[in-house]
Each structure stands twice: as C-alpha cells, then as structure tokens.
Amino acid sequence: MKMGHGIRKATFGLAGLAMCIGASASAWANSSDPIKLTLHDWTGQLLTTKIMGEVLKKGGFNVEYVQADYIAQFAGLQSGDLHVAMEIWETTGREAMDKAVGTGKVENLGSTGMQAIEEWWYPSYMEERCPGLPNWEALNDCAEEFGTAETLPNGRYLGAPVTWGGFDDERVEALELDYEVVHAGTDAALFAELESAYQREAPILLWVYSPHWATFKFQGDWIQFPEYSAECYNDPSVGVNPDLAYDCGKPTGPIWKVAWSGVKDKWPGAHSAIESFDMNNDEMSALIVKADLNGEDIDDVVQGWITENEDVWKEWLK
C-alpha cells in the first residue's frame, strides 16, 4: 500500500510539475498563434529552419512551416503573413533583405553563425585542361573545354534554380564571357549533375555553395572573379566593364536570420531564442552529409541534433 501510495504521490507530483511547465511555457509563448517559419529548396535551410522550429516547440510555441520562394518571401515578411526566415545569404539575399529592413517591417535578427560562399566552381581535374584556372580571365580561353553539344563553341555554366538570384546571367554579359548559363531546376538536380560529371571526370562548371557536402566530398576550387563590391552591383561605371554592373564575383559573408518586425512584440521569447540561434559551417555541413549523402530523413537528422544538443538549445530559450 505504501508503495502504491508513493507511486500516486509521485504521479501527482509529476502531473503538477507538468502543469507548471505548461503554464510557464504558455506565458513564455505569449501568443498561441502559430509562428510561421519559411522553408525553401535546399537541405541546409530545411535543417536550420526545422531545428529552430522544433526548439521553439520545446519552449511552448505554436510553429507552422510554410513553403516560400527565397526572394519573394520578403513580401510576406513585410505584411506579417510570414514571420521568420532562417537563412538569408549575404551572397544572394543581401539586397532584398536590406530593402525589406529599410521599410521598418522586417528585422535583421543577426547572423546564424554560418559564413556563406556561393560562386562558380570546377573540379580539380579541369585545371589540366584549363591551366589558367582559377582566374576568371582563363574562362574564355577554355570555353570549348567546358562546352557541351548544346552550347559549343560557348562553354556551359550550370547555375542554380532561377529563384535563388545570384546575377549569373548578368555576370556573363558584363564580363563578356563566352558561356551559356543553364539553370538547374532544383538543388538536387544541380548536385546530381556534379556527382555524375565528377565520377566520369567530365567537364563541368557550376554553382556550388558552402556550407554544403560537395566541398567535403569533391576536390575543386571556386573561380576567382574581380572582387565584389556593392558599387560593382549598383554602379555600371565601377569595375572592369564601364557600361554594365555585376562585372565582379558574388559577395561572401554571414547567413542572416530575419523576421517580421511584429515578432518581438507578439512572441518576445521566440524573438530572443531566434536571435540566440548559432551554428557554424562545420556543424551544418555534418548534418547535410547525414541527410544528402547518408540518406537520413531530414526530420530524423533534426531530432538527432535536438537530442544530442539539449544543453545548447536550452540556452537559446533562456
């Protein structure tokens, strides 16, 4: 009887504790309305967003994931129809981000901790066929080496999905490159083509980004274009071509978190947690390897990270 009574007391105690935690979480959440986090079309962004979303759920928040276009999402963030975007890359999204933040309706919540690189990339075996690499000025000398039956005598550059931005078509025109830009339909198609070409040591020149598993699995290098500057993108007179903008490489820099400016008032705890999110390139690349190379389900990778890093994400929720 004592044992049974003790179990009941313990059960009541746990129930009471759960009620306290629930009440605390409810107060912390401030609003039961769903916080809408945007999902895009590359593995790292899905991982970053779902890790943040699942942590917010641990804090008692109602979370909804919404598929959204990378650049077009800023209209939803400004209107408050969307609430949080976990990856805005300095390389491709800075212009749209700054414009949105300038309206006062979108807030930059700081860096994710990851540093973005996105640029034209080639496998190391192409250096024998194009000795001037990685200098961009060697590209025209080797255009036919990078060409395909569809593009010859021009070379072929495999760009990212058009929704990612990046100004590659403009860059080809401004730098007078004898290349045709062919955009991959999806992130998966982009890297499937790299995988196939690399195994055959076939010519390929394409958009590669980091953090990503490709830079760990394959040996290669990024093309060294004229150094990026904001003026190069905005002032045609700046750069090697006095008549056209985008005659330089892509910027590098942080991957940013942004939110609808109303988040800080409606969900102040979530606002603080998102600001605290921090992960470096190596950590994210290891997770991407699990999903893309090892074939683990993204949700399983996320839950594995949650389980193994409780001490980390609990600090975000403080």
Side-chain angles (χ1 to χ4, degrees), residues 106-293:
V106 173
E107 182 182 5
N108 184 337
L109 297 187
S111 170
T112 59
M114 294 178 282
Q115 294 291 310
I117 301 173
E118 294 188 271
E119 196 54 272
W120 295 31
W121 187 96
Y122 62 90
S124 295
Y125 58 75
M126 289 304 298
E127 291 177 353
E128 289 186 13
R129 307 180 206 182
C130 187
L133 293 175
N135 190 324
W136 72 275
E137 292 176 303
L139 289 174
N140 279 352
D141 295 334
C142 308
E144 292 194 16
E145 293 291 342
F146 284 107
T148 64
E150 293 76 22
T151 67
L152 288 172
N154 288 338
R156 177 178 182 264
Y157 167 73
L158 182 63
V162 292
T163 57
W164 292 12
F167 305 107
D168 284 323
D169 297 271
E170 293 86 347
R171 183 168 293 105
V172 165
E173 182 181 6
L175 291 175
E176 300 179 349
L177 297 174
D178 299 329
Y179 283 75
E180 182 177 330
V181 177
V182 178
H183 290 279
T186 64
D187 178 75
L190 182 71
F191 290 102
E193 187 154 344
L194 170 59
E195 181 90 46
S196 174
Y198 199 91
Q199 297 307 323
R200 295 178 288 115
E201 292 199 355
I204 189 165
L205 179 66
L206 77 164
W207 175 313
V208 167
Y209 61 88
S210 178
H212 192 269
W213 57 263
T215 56
F216 284 77
K217 183 173 182 179
F218 304 123
Q219 291 186 339
D221 204 354
W222 279 282
I223 297 294
Q224 293 178 1
F225 286 110
E227 187 175 355
Y228 164 83
S229 71
E231 292 76 19
C232 166
Y233 270 35
N234 297 301
D235 184 351
S237 69
V238 173
V240 297
N241 187 327
D243 300 316
L244 293 173
Y246 305 108
D247 49 344
C248 59
K250 294 180 175 74
T252 60
I255 299 175
W256 304 98
K257 304 162 290 192
V258 301
W260 169 53
S261 59
V263 168
K264 61 181 176 295
D265 295 322
K266 189 168 185 178
W267 301 282
H271 183 271
S272 174
I274 296 162
E275 282 188 309
S276 298
F277 177 100
D278 185 76
M279 187 174 294
N280 64 39
N281 283 38
D282 289 343
E283 291 172 304
M284 177 50 63
S285 293
L287 297 180
I288 294 171
V289 165
K290 288 183 178 182
D292 284 357
L293 295 188

Side-chain angles (χ1 to χ4, degrees), residues 43-64:
T43 301
Q45 195 274 346
L46 299 177
L47 289 165
T48 304
T49 303
K50 289 195 170 185
I51 285 172
M52 188 72 255
E54 296 310 299
V55 169
L56 290 176
K57 289 179 184 179
K58 295 285 189 183
F61 295 96
N62 184 7
V63 169
E64 181 179 338

Side-chain angles (χ1 to χ4, degrees), residues 7 15 49 66 91 95 97 103 131 155 179 192 204 246 257 262 268 296:
I7 292 172
T49 303
V66 179
T91 47
E95 188 174 350
M97 179 179 72
T103 67
Y179 283 75
I204 189 165
Y246 305 108
K257 304 162 290 192
E296 296 183 35

